[in-house]
Amino acid sequence: MNHMETPLLAFEGLHITLPVRGEHRAVVHRVDLTVPAGGAVGLVGESGSGKSLTARSVLRLLPPGARVGGDVRFDGASVTAMDAASLRALRGSGAAMIFQDPRAHINPLRTIGDFLTEGLVTTRGQRQGAATARATDLLREVGIADAPRRLRQRPAELSGGLLQRVMIAAALIGEPRLLLADEPTTALDVTTQAEVMAVIDEAREQRGLAMLFITHDLALAAAVCDSIAVMYAGSVVEQLPAARLHDASCHPYTRALLAARPDPGTGARPLRAIEGRPLSASEAGPGCAFAPRCPAARDLCTTDRPLPERTGDGRTACHFPLLAGADDAAPGTERTVRHG
Amino acid sequence: MADAGAPAALEAAGLRKTYGDFVAVEDVGLSLAPGASLALVGESGSGKTTTARMIAGLEAPTAGTVRFDGRVLPGRRARTAVRGSFAGDVQMVFQDPYASLDRHQRVADSISEVLAHHTDLRGSALARRTAELLDQVGLTAGQARSLPRALSGGQRQRVAIARAVAVRPRVLVLDEAVAALDVSVQAQIVTLLRELREQSDTAYLFITHDLGIVQHICEDIAVMHRGRIIERGRTLSVLERPGAAYTRKLIDSVPRRGWTPKRGATA
C-alpha cells in the first residue's frame, strides 16, 4: 500500500451488521481496501458477498438499523463520524453513485431535465438556463444525440440503456472525485453494456475520476479497472492488479470463478462448476467461508479464518494460496502450497 | 444423438407475432431433431422469448404453425384434455426460479402432481419416480420435503427442471433458465442440463442473451435480431466466423480477457 499519500477512499476493517428478527447479523465481515485518486478498483462477488453494502457504506446509504464497525475514510475524513453538513457535501460533490436499476432511482413524474438540473439549481444556486446548458452538454458527452428533446421527456419514454446514460450524466454533474458504480450494466443488453462502459471509461479519463466498480463479472471488472478485489461471504478474499487476474490469482475462489464463467472465445474448454452455493456473511463459520466449497480445503481451513497476506503484488486471505502461474485449472489439481 | 432419418421433434414454420402495429416476430422457422440442442440468441426485443412462448403454446401465433412429431399445437381455446395431451411434447423452464414454483407446495409434491396428472403412476411407484427425478437433478431427500423458500435459486431451478423433464418431453424450452443464477451456480445447472440430455432423447430449445454459454449446451445456434433469425449454423463455426455484422458485434461485446469496451454509434 502507498503510505506517501492519503488514498481518496479507504475501507479500514469495515464490518457491517444488520438487525434480523431482533439479532444483529454480519453482512460484511472485514473489508480493507483503498482506492487511489483517479484509480479504478473492481469489487467482484456473487450474491450475498456484501459488495453492494460495502459500496453503499461510502455514502452512508445503509438500511435502517445497520451498525458499522471499522471505518470508511474519504480523502482522510471518517465517513462514519461525519456531521450532516459534511455528509451532504460528500454526497453532493465528493462521491456519486450509479445503481443497477435506473428506474428505481429516478422520479418517474419529473422530466429528465428537472432530474439533472435540480441539484445545480437548488443547492449550488445556478440559474436554470446555465444548469440546462450543462445538462445538455453532459447528455451529449454520454452519447445521447438529441439532448434537448430528451431533457423534456420522462423516464418511461427512455430505454434502459438511455436511462442509464442519464444516470451517468447525473452522477457527473456534481463533479465528484469518486464514482461508485453498483452493477451499472447488469440489466442492460451486452452491446449496450459495452457502450455504457466505454462512456464511463472516457468520462473517468477526462476528469481523472476514481471509481469503485461493483460487479459479479470478473472479466468486465478486469477490463475497466486497475485493481480487482474479490469478495466472498462478507470479506475480501483476494486483491490483485487487474492485469494479473487471469494468470496470477492465488485464491481458489478467484480461480474457480474464472473457470466457471463462460466466454465465447474459449473454444471447447469445459465449464467448471463450484459445488454448493455462495454463502452469505452471516452463514460463515469460524474458518474460511469458502472452505465448504473449496476442493483444496484442509482441517485448518475449517477452524481458523485466514487473514489477508501478501502474495506477489496482491493480497490473499487463504491458508494455502495457489502460487502465481502454477496452474490455471481448478484448484486442487497440481496446486503449489506456500507453507504447511 | 439425432438420427437424420427420424421425424423432427419440433417443426415451426413461418411464425409471426404482432401486437397492434408492432411486429415482434417475423417469419421464424426452426426444426429440432430428437435429442438436438438449438440456442436462440438475441438481445431484449429480438423476439426470442415470444418465439419460445409460441412454441410452448403460451402465445398464439399471428401466423405460422408449430408441429410436434407432425401434430399441430392446438390453440388456447382447445379443450384442457387436448392441450394436456401435448404435455409430453413440450415443457418449459423459466428464468426466475423464485417465481416459477408454488410457494405453498413442498418440492416433492410439485413433481408428484405433474406425474399423477400425466402418467398412470400411483402410490409407491409415483413416490419412487419422484425420488428418482429429484435425485437426478441433484436434490437430497431433505430438500424434497421442503418448501421452495428454504431452497436457493440454483436449487429451485433444479426443481423446475425436474418438473419439466418428469413427463419426458420431446422438447424442453429453456427461457434464460440460467441467467438469474450466480456464475458458480450457473455452471452447475449447465452441467446438469448436459447430463440430462445425454440420458434422454429430449431436444433443447435454449433461449439466451448470453453468447458465452451457448457452446456449453448447444451444437446449433440461431441469432435473432428485430424479430427475425438473421444467422444460423453450428455454434462453433458461427462463434468463430460469424457471417452477419450484428452477430460479430454481439460477440465482440462480450467482456473477456484483453477486451476493452468500445463506443459504437451514439444512441
Side-chain angles (χ1 to χ4, degrees):
Chain A
M1 296 293 105
N2 189 347
H3 296 285
M4 306 292 285
E5 301 170 32
T6 311
L8 181 63
L9 177 67
F11 298 99
E12 296 170 353
L14 178 71
H15 179 85
I16 304 173
T17 63
L18 287 180
V20 181
R21 286 182 221 102
E23 55 171 312
H24 268 263
R25 288 207 193 148
V27 283
V28 172
H29 278 296
R30 186 180 180 96
V31 174
D32 291 285
L33 193 65
T34 58
V35 181
V41 174
L43 195 55
V44 182
E46 296 185 284
S47 44
S49 62
K51 57 190 189 300
S52 284
L53 288 168
T54 299
R56 283 171 168 265
S57 71
V58 178
L59 295 178
R60 285 200 357 215
L61 289 176
L62 294 173
R67 284 187 198 152
V68 177
D71 207 355
V72 183
R73 288 180 179 276
F74 185 83
D75 207 10
S78 166
V79 173
T80 52
M82 267 180 194
D83 59 23
S86 310
L87 187 61
R88 272 200 304 279
L90 170 67
R91 288 175 178 174
S93 58
M97 192 145 184
I98 305 170
F99 299 91
Q100 175 174 344
D101 180 6
R103 286 189 209 283
H105 297 274
I106 186 168
N107 186 336
L109 302 177
R110 307 278 307 275
T111 64
I112 302 299
D114 287 344
F115 171 69
L116 287 173
T117 57
E118 183 182 24
L120 294 183
V121 173
T122 58
T123 65
R124 299 202 184 188
Q126 288 192 11
R127 286 202 199 141
Q128 186 62 48
T132 301
R134 178 84 189 109
T136 310
D137 287 348
L138 271 171
L139 285 188
R140 291 210 174 101
E141 187 190 328
V142 299
I144 297 179
D146 44 357
R149 180 169 71 94
R150 298 298 184 190
L151 285 174
R152 292 191 301 272
Q153 291 184 311
R154 289 187 168 73
E157 297 173 79
L158 273 64
S159 69
L162 273 179
L163 204 54
Q164 198 60 297
R165 290 173 201 246
V166 169
M167 302 311 271
I168 295 168
L172 297 175
I173 209 161
E175 288 164 17
R177 298 167 66 195
L178 172 70
L179 207 53
L180 299 161
D182 188 0
E183 303 257 16
T185 58
T186 303
L188 305 178
D189 277 324
V190 65
T191 53
T192 314
Q193 163 171 282
E195 296 195 1
V196 167
M197 283 319 305
V199 165
I200 293 177
D201 247 13
E202 285 169 29
R204 282 193 51 234
E205 200 173 317
Q206 284 166 15
R207 293 169 171 78
L209 189 59
M211 175 168 73
L212 183 65
F213 182 63
I214 314 299
T215 181
H216 65 283
D217 187 339
L218 264 178
L220 178 61
V224 299
C225 297
D226 315 314
S227 157
I228 302 291
V230 179
M231 279 192 85
Y232 189 77
S235 298
V236 172
V237 295
E238 178 160 21
Q239 198 189 343
L240 79 172
R244 311 264 291 147
L245 173 72
H246 293 276
D247 292 323
S249 62
C250 297
H251 200 287
Y253 177 61
T254 312
R255 289 208 187 177
L257 262 190
L258 284 168
R261 191 188 186 284
D263 86 50
T266 48
R269 176 179 68 78
L271 289 185
R272 290 173 201 267
I274 311 176
E275 290 295 309
R277 64 178 173 86
L279 292 188
S280 63
S282 62
E283 294 172 299
C288 170
F290 187 58
R293 304 177 77 192
C294 181
R298 304 179 184 193
D299 290 347
L300 178 66
C301 304
T302 60
T303 54
D304 287 38
R305 182 168 295 169
L307 290 172
E309 284 183 49
R310 180 157 289 280
T311 44
D313 40 12
R315 290 167 74 76
T316 307
C318 177
H319 291 302
F320 307 105
L322 306 154
L323 282 193
D327 169 34
D328 67 353
T333 55
E334 303 173 40
R335 56 193 293 278
T336 313
V337 170
R338 189 181 51 167
H339 52 71
Chain B
M1 269 322 306
D3 173 350
L10 164 69
E11 188 83 56
L15 285 181
R16 174 181 166 90
K17 181 74 184 178
T18 58
Y19 298 97
D21 291 337
F22 179 72
V23 182
V25 172
E26 179 76 289
D27 194 26
V28 163
L30 44 90
S31 135
L32 273 176
S37 183
L38 170 70
L40 203 52
V41 179
E43 296 190 288
S44 36
S46 64
K48 59 187 191 300
T49 290
T50 305
T51 301
R53 292 178 63 85
M54 287 192 283
I55 285 167
L58 297 174
E59 296 278 355
T62 309
T65 51
V66 178
R67 283 193 172 83
F68 293 96
D69 211 8
R71 297 199 301 156
V72 177
L73 199 64
R76 297 172 70 113
R77 287 160 194 272
R79 293 203 346 268
T80 309
V82 176
R83 283 157 52 86
S85 72
F86 278 82
D89 285 312
V90 61
Q91 287 290 324
M92 190 154 173
V93 175
F94 298 90
Q95 172 170 358
D96 185 357
Y98 292 89
S100 49
L101 297 174
D102 179 347
R103 61 199 181 89
H104 300 297
Q105 190 175 37
R106 287 175 200 284
V107 160
D109 294 342
S110 70
I111 311 286
S112 305
E113 184 183 37
V114 171
L115 286 171
H117 194 74
H118 292 292
T119 69
D120 296 330
L121 296 173
R122 296 292 178 270
S124 62
L126 179 66
R128 233 184 356 261
R129 176 72 181 135
T130 302
E132 185 184 296
L133 279 161
L134 288 166
D135 181 59
Q136 214 176 359
V137 297
L139 292 171
T140 64
Q143 287 160 345
R145 284 191 297 273
S146 45
L147 290 172
R149 67 162 174 267
L151 302 183
S152 66
Q155 289 162 347
R156 289 180 207 210
Q157 207 60 316
R158 289 174 191 269
V159 178
I161 290 167
R163 197 177 51 175
V165 301
V167 293
R168 299 195 169 93
R170 281 198 180 80
V171 175
L172 183 58
V173 178
L174 300 141
D175 186 10
E176 298 277 14
V178 299
L181 304 175
D182 274 315
V183 174
S184 66
V185 177
Q186 196 177 66
Q188 294 170 9
I189 301 299
V190 168
T191 308
L192 170 66
L193 289 170
R194 285 172 69 116
E195 286 167 5
L196 288 176
R197 195 156 75 88
E198 281 162 19
Q199 296 160 15
S200 75
D201 237 4
T202 297
Y204 287 178
L205 182 63
F206 188 78
I207 315 297
T208 183
H209 71 284
D210 184 350
L211 271 175
I213 209 145
V214 171
Q215 62 188 314
H216 297 286
I217 300 190
C218 301
E219 285 88 35
D220 295 295
I221 187 171
V223 181
M224 284 193 78
H225 185 47
R226 295 184 179 160
R228 293 173 181 273
I229 292 179
I230 56 152
E231 178 160 15
R232 62 173 99 207
R234 303 296 276 179
T235 303
L236 287 179
S237 69
V238 169
L239 290 181
E240 278 165 21
R241 293 177 300 280
Y246 175 73
T247 311
R248 162 97 293 172
K249 183 182 173 194
L250 214 49
I251 295 169
D252 288 346
S253 299
V254 180
R256 72 196 81 173
R257 195 172 182 171
W259 177 87
T260 47
K262 284 192 193 69
R263 215 155 145 164
T266 51

